[in-house]
Amino acid sequence: MGKQFVKKRGLTNSKMSNKFDRNKRLRKIQEENGAHSSSPSSSEEASGEESSGDAVEEIIYKEPSVYDNLLMKLGSSSESVADAFKMRQRQEEGRSDSEEDGVGGPEYLSESEQEDDISGEGTDSESRNCRTEGTLQQPGSIGIREQNEDADSVASDTDEEHGLGLNGQPSSEASAHASSFHEHFGYNLSKEEVDDLSKKKLKYEWEVPAVDMSNCKWVGTGECFLKDDNLYSDYGLKPKLYKHWLDIYNKSGGNDFHSSKQRSFFSLCNSYRDILHSNKKPFYLKGQEEDSNIMETYLMHSLNHIFRTRDLVTKNDTKVAKNKGSAKEGILIGDAFLDRGFTRPKVLILLPLKSIALNVVKRLIRLTPDAHKVNVEHIDRFCDEFGTKKEEEDKDDDDASQNIRGTRKSNSQKSKPSDYQILFGGNNDDNFSIGIKFTRKSIKLYNDFYTSDMIVASPVNLHQKMTKAEENKEQDVDYLSSIEVLIIDHADIILMQNWSWLIEVVEQLNRIPSKQHGTDVMRIRQWYLDGYSRFYRQTVLLSYHPNPEINAFFNHHCANYQGKVKLACEYKGVLPKVLLNVRQIYERFNVDSIEKADDARLEYFTKKVFPKIKDSIQGGIMLFLSSYFEFVRLRNFLKSQNASFCLLGDYTEPSDISRARVWFFEGKRKMILYTERSHFYRRYKIRGIQNLIIYSLPERKEFYPEIVNMLEGSHNMTCTVLFSRFDMLRLERIVGSAPAKKMVKSEKGVFVFC
């Protein structure tokens, strides 16, 4: 049988029906059930033979668990599936109480397995204690304990008990009380609706002022769903999560949760619409409170989604087990019991750096109710790998014992701006991923992805795994096939890494898996099988600033059928932060389309700007560029003109950087090319600048005054900025929204700020 399963295990998009044909499976199971019901005496004999204590002991300790059996049997003949149902039937009659929910399939383990299933990674004391306790428990006591826990779980979730009709759609009587979770994932899109979603261009039809952001407003598609929620409601949260979150809010000094920014943003998240928040002040720019509130909110939304998904699966497992072989058996094959995807992971959080991931996971653990985090496995390993050793060394070593190298590094850090020190003061590794699994009483870090509920990773790491899967057919990334909530935080930092890798990772989401992975076909939601899951995935995109690449991603890779919400803001600009009395001359070049903008910019520079500086005797000319693509084009042009210049780019070696800075300061090179990405990661203060030419405005508005203030000490300092109407997003963040609109529409092409 094992060979047969392996042979059938492969899966391609074109042959999806062969592996995930639910109707064919259901017909075979019904035939098997009919055969068993027509011969009651044989079934009684079978159950009688298996009711002995020896049989129970053999099933629990000598034979594989029901979960393992189902993994081996699914994908084979219908008799194997029928055997799995018979095993559940025997368990209900008291023959294996400790594995009551085992038929749920590999996507969700039974609760006893969730408590006792240790991943085997690491050797910390918590893992050993969990394993020992699970081994010493008697089967009967485990069953009684878990039955009580399941009863408490079902009793606390009346909306999940009554929120769905038999066909999987929200019933008319319960629709007013059904959670948005059920309303969103219980709806089945038709082919016509999917075709319409693919063709239709969404329009933002409503707007609502943003809480505590006087210059911003939320705009959205479809009907406005933001309304004043009931002051005494749980806002769509599970009661235990809401109570725990409210306690944390009150202890932190909050006094009006209903009017808080957390509650407001949670209402957006809980709508399951795609969200673009492009004005989130980050923690390293004196935005610790705002950044923390937003992070707390999307983590609570993720927990709510994971817990509702697990409760729905557990509840359906219980119903299937209780009604097997009864008169209600006919409803067990209806859409109401379709509650899962191809694989278990449902939430994916993409982050740029380990230091940020450390804060996110720590806050996630804090937001988890105490009853669900009795054990947090591998937390010490996580802190060691995602933290920074420098902090520990500073605590252990005295000032006198610090080595010279460490002192130099500390002094170098102190010379950088404060935001740089905060952002890069921790673990700056951008290659990481970690699976997180929630059981009834524990949180398991470093869990296998296929049995995890949440994955926290960097685009760099997932892109590497995708590349390896393409090269080695035995590897795969099918754990990304059933992501229902995607959160991309600090997208502006990911822009400084490699945005194209993020796009490739997102394009990999919600694809039909290449292998079966032991999926219970009869419980997969229909829209997964139809290939529509990307229209159900919610994407929450968080950034410090808007950007054409971010906007294009939100427009083309976020296709949620519920619609979209984004933040629209007015900016005051950062010109007052320029401390020097320098004339800043903005020169606009005209261009018809964004496709021609790069060529038009280079042409304007070569014809209007370069002739003025190529014969300059003074030197000290710095050319600032926002992208590496522009850096390469300008470098090639200067080479063709035999110009005297040096480079400070994204991939310049440190030794070459030091040499270039000295040459430029001493006047041995007249020009220096400096990119925004290089400034982001190094934050050099270039000396010897007399003439600053900003070839393209920086994406990060705080860089503009930093660059212009480098002219300090110059005698004849000048600053020239090139822009077009397609630079509107960057322009308004620097000069302000109102002046920017005038500058791109004015008949004049030159503007001066002093």
Side-chain angles (χ1 to χ4, degrees):
M1 180 177 66
K3 293 182 179 179
Q4 183 182 7
F5 172 73
V6 173
K7 183 177 181 180
K8 289 187 175 183
R9 194 178 178 189
L11 176 68
T12 60
N13 291 359
S14 60
K15 297 182 179 180
M16 180 191 69
S17 58
N18 294 333
K19 300 303 295 181
F20 298 104
D21 189 349
R22 184 187 296 115
N23 295 330
K24 184 177 180 181
R25 287 290 176 89
L26 292 177
R27 287 195 298 269
K28 290 185 177 181
I29 292 173
Q30 288 173 336
E31 292 174 1
E32 292 295 328
N33 291 339
H36 291 307
S37 61
S38 63
S39 177
S41 60
S42 61
S43 63
E44 291 175 0
E45 292 175 2
S47 61
E49 292 174 356
E50 297 172 0
S51 62
S52 64
D54 295 338
V56 173
E57 198 71 14
E58 181 179 359
I59 291 174
I60 296 176
Y61 298 105
K62 297 182 180 180
E63 293 293 329
S65 65
V66 179
Y67 172 72
D68 294 329
N69 286 331
L70 191 60
L71 265 178
M72 293 184 293
K73 292 175 183 177
L74 276 176
S76 60
S77 64
S78 61
E79 294 180 356
S80 302
V81 182
D83 289 341
F85 279 114
K86 285 200 299 181
M87 185 171 290
R88 286 182 61 93
Q89 195 171 7
R90 292 196 303 270
Q91 293 165 357
E92 283 188 343
E93 295 171 359
R95 292 170 176 78
S96 182
D97 294 335
S98 63
E99 295 182 9
E100 183 177 346
D101 299 326
V103 82
E107 187 183 1
Y108 285 88
L109 307 182
S110 68
E111 296 303 330
S112 60
E113 288 174 328
Q114 288 181 349
E115 289 299 325
D116 299 335
D117 176 58
I118 306 300
S119 62
E121 294 183 9
T123 58
D124 56 0
S125 59
E126 292 178 349
S127 299
R128 290 195 297 270
N129 292 338
C130 288
R131 185 180 296 276
T132 303
E133 292 174 1
T135 305
L136 294 177
Q137 288 287 348
Q138 295 297 326
S141 64
I142 295 176
I144 294 173
R145 173 174 55 83
E146 292 184 4
Q147 287 176 5
N148 293 336
E149 290 174 348
D150 290 340
D152 293 340
S153 175
V154 173
S156 66
D157 298 311
T158 55
D159 59 328
E160 294 174 3
E161 185 72 31
H162 305 291
L164 292 178
L166 293 180
N167 61 350
Q169 308 284 9
S171 62
S172 58
E173 296 180 358
S175 60
H177 304 285
S179 68
S180 56
F181 171 85
H182 288 300
E183 293 177 352
H184 181 65
F185 296 103
Y187 184 80
N188 288 322
L189 288 171
S190 65
K191 187 177 184 305
E192 291 74 17
E193 289 174 314
V194 171
D195 293 339
D196 186 52
L197 284 171
S198 303
K199 300 175 183 177
K200 182 173 62 175
K201 186 175 181 180
L202 298 176
K203 295 182 179 180
Y204 294 90
E205 301 175 349
W206 56 266
E207 60 183 49
V208 173
V211 176
D212 293 338
M213 301 176 75
S214 58
N215 60 329
C216 298
K217 59 185 177 182
W218 291 105
V219 296
T221 63
E223 296 182 1
C224 181
F225 62 92
L226 292 176
K227 56 184 178 180
D228 191 16
D229 295 316
N230 187 345
L231 184 62
Y232 303 102
S233 72
D234 54 14
Y235 306 107
L237 275 165
K238 286 178 64 64
K240 289 182 179 179
L241 290 175
Y242 173 66
K243 182 179 182 302
H244 184 66
W245 194 14
L246 191 60
D247 290 341
I248 293 176
Y249 177 80
N250 292 332
K251 289 179 181 178
S252 64
N255 54 14
D256 186 5
F257 182 78
H258 181 75
S259 303
S260 66
K261 182 176 290 188
Q262 292 99 309
R263 202 279 306 171
S264 174
F265 190 65
F266 181 81
S267 297
L268 293 173
C269 294
N270 196 48
S271 70
Y272 279 98
R273 287 162 169 79
D274 290 332
I275 301 172
L276 173 58
H277 189 327
S278 56
N279 195 26
K280 181 174 74 77
K281 193 170 185 179
F283 64 94
Y284 52 87
L285 285 171
K286 301 180 180 179
Q288 179 65 48
E289 181 179 358
E290 179 178 348
D291 201 342
S292 178
N293 291 341
I294 297 296
M295 176 178 64
E296 189 174 277
T297 303
Y298 73 64
L299 287 176
M300 187 56 71
H301 173 59
S302 300
L303 283 172
N304 194 50
H305 182 82
I306 290 171
F307 284 11
R308 286 194 181 278
T309 301
R310 185 185 65 181
D311 289 346
L312 178 62
V313 172
T314 303
K315 178 172 61 66
N316 285 344
D317 287 346
T318 304
K319 286 185 177 181
V320 169
K322 289 182 179 180
N323 294 289
K324 180 62 182 172
S326 67
K328 297 181 180 179
E329 183 179 359
I331 69 171
L332 300 183
I333 59 176
D335 289 349
F337 289 84
L338 306 182
D339 52 18
R340 63 192 62 190
F342 296 111
T343 54
R344 176 164 178 165
K346 292 294 180 288
V347 177
L348 174 63
I349 301 179
L350 296 178
L351 303 168
L353 301 172
K354 272 189 174 181
S355 58
I356 296 177
L358 176 69
N359 294 330
V360 168
V361 175
K362 282 186 174 181
R363 182 60 61 91
L364 176 70
I365 295 172
R366 183 189 178 197
L367 291 172
T368 304
D370 295 338
H372 296 279
K373 58 179 178 183
V374 176
N375 292 320
V376 181
E377 298 182 14
H378 309 301
I379 183 63
D380 292 336
R381 172 188 169 188
F382 173 75
C383 292
D384 289 341
E385 293 184 5
F386 283 72
T388 172
K389 294 182 180 180
K390 181 178 182 300
E391 296 176 358
E392 299 177 1
E393 293 174 356
D394 291 344
K395 292 179 181 179
D396 297 336
D397 297 340
D398 296 329
D399 294 339
S401 63
Q402 289 182 348
N403 55 45
I404 298 176
R405 183 178 180 182
T407 304
R408 285 179 179 174
K409 184 176 181 180
S410 177
N411 292 336
S412 176
Q413 286 285 95
K414 291 180 180 179
S415 66
K416 307 291 185 182
S418 59
D419 63 288
Y420 179 91
Q421 297 181 41
I422 297 173
L423 176 60
F424 293 106
N427 192 327
N428 303 327
D429 190 359
D430 60 1
N431 189 351
F432 62 90
S433 61
I434 181 172
I436 303 175
K437 176 181 177 181
F438 295 87
T439 68
R440 187 150 317 261
K441 289 187 177 181
S442 67
I443 302 174
K444 298 184 179 182
L445 307 180
Y446 294 98
N447 198 69
D448 178 73
F449 283 172
Y450 283 101
T451 58
S452 297
D453 299 296
M454 175 188 293
I455 297 174
V456 178
S458 66
V460 174
N461 182 271
L462 291 183
H463 186 270
Q464 289 183 358
K465 294 181 184 298
M466 289 164 49
T467 302
K468 291 179 181 178
E470 292 176 359
E471 297 173 352
N472 186 355
K473 298 302 180 184
E474 295 182 359
Q475 300 183 18
D476 60 71
V477 289
D478 291 345
Y479 43 79
L480 301 176
S481 63
S482 302
I483 298 299
E484 294 174 350
V485 177
L486 169 64
I487 298 169
I488 305 172
D489 199 359
H490 297 281
D492 52 293
I493 299 179
I494 298 177
L495 273 169
M496 292 293 170
Q497 295 174 337
N498 194 321
W499 188 254
S500 63
W501 285 2
L502 172 69
I503 294 177
E504 291 180 28
V505 169
V506 174
E507 289 177 344
Q508 183 67 38
L509 303 182
N510 305 112
R511 292 188 178 183
I512 303 297
S514 60
K515 301 181 181 69
Q516 186 173 335
H517 301 290
T519 308
D520 187 346
V521 179
M522 295 173 296
R523 299 281 290 275
I524 299 177
R525 296 183 188 270
Q526 184 60 47
W527 42 266
Y528 271 108
L529 301 176
D530 293 336
Y532 299 159
S533 57
R534 73 184 186 94
F535 297 106
Y536 288 80
R537 185 191 74 228
Q538 180 189 33
T539 302
V540 180
L541 187 56
L542 305 169
S543 174
Y544 173 43
H545 58 74
N547 168 274
E549 286 83 359
I550 292 176
N551 290 341
F553 174 88
F554 190 67
N555 293 334
H556 300 296
H557 292 86
C558 302
N560 194 321
Y561 82 89
Q562 289 278 12
K564 299 181 179 181
V565 182
K566 68 178 182 180
L567 194 67
C569 299
E570 296 285 330
Y571 298 92
K572 297 179 180 179
V574 294
L575 293 181
K577 294 184 179 180
V578 176
L579 304 179
L580 304 177
N581 187 20
V582 54
R583 296 177 74 249
Q584 303 157 60
I585 304 172
Y586 283 70
E587 299 182 12
R588 189 187 69 209
F589 60 92
N590 297 321
V591 58
D592 297 330
S593 64
I594 193 171
E595 291 83 4
K596 300 178 181 179
D598 292 327
D599 294 334
R601 189 186 304 272
L602 181 61
E603 182 180 2
Y604 186 88
F605 175 82
T606 58
K607 294 182 177 180
K608 301 291 185 180
V609 179
F610 184 71
K612 300 177 184 178
I613 63 175
K614 68 177 181 178
D615 298 326
S616 173
I617 302 176
Q618 182 182 15
I621 302 169
M622 186 172 85
L623 297 169
F624 182 85
L625 313 95
S626 65
S627 74
Y628 184 72
F629 173 74
E630 295 171 338
F631 173 83
V632 171
R633 297 190 74 179
L634 206 55
R635 179 197 64 188
N636 294 340
F637 170 76
L638 293 177
K639 280 184 177 181
S640 67
Q641 300 297 314
N642 295 321
S644 174
F645 69 97
C646 53
L647 304 174
L648 210 167
D650 300 359
Y651 306 104
T652 308
E653 295 294 332
S655 58
D656 295 333
I657 291 175
S658 299
R659 189 181 304 112
R661 294 176 66 188
V662 172
W663 284 349
F664 181 74
F665 176 69
E666 295 178 350
K668 295 180 180 179
R669 296 290 186 272
K670 292 184 178 181
M671 289 180 280
I672 186 171
L673 273 63
Y674 191 29
T675 63
E676 180 178 8
R677 189 163 180 256
S678 180
H679 187 67
F680 175 77
Y681 282 106
R682 298 186 175 101
R683 301 297 275 275
Y684 291 131
K685 185 175 182 180
I686 310 299
R687 297 181 301 165
I689 305 175
Q690 303 293 329
N691 184 2
L692 174 63
I693 299 175
I694 299 181
Y695 183 83
S696 53
L697 287 165
E699 289 285 357
R700 307 183 71 85
K701 62 183 181 180
E702 70 273 14
F703 285 0
Y704 181 83
E706 281 186 23
I707 297 298
V708 176
N709 287 333
M710 288 183 188
L711 288 167
E712 184 179 8
S714 172
H715 300 292
N716 299 312
M717 51 187 175
T718 59
C719 176
T720 304
V721 182
L722 308 184
F723 76 98
S724 73
R725 65 187 181 94
F726 295 106
D727 296 322
M728 180 64 185
L729 291 177
R730 286 181 280 185
L731 185 64
E732 68 174 345
R733 292 196 295 271
I734 293 172
V735 303
S737 296
K741 293 176 182 177
K742 296 179 180 179
M743 292 169 67
V744 298
K745 295 180 179 180
S746 175
E747 295 181 358
K748 298 180 180 180
V750 179
F751 308 88
V752 180
F753 295 90
C754 297

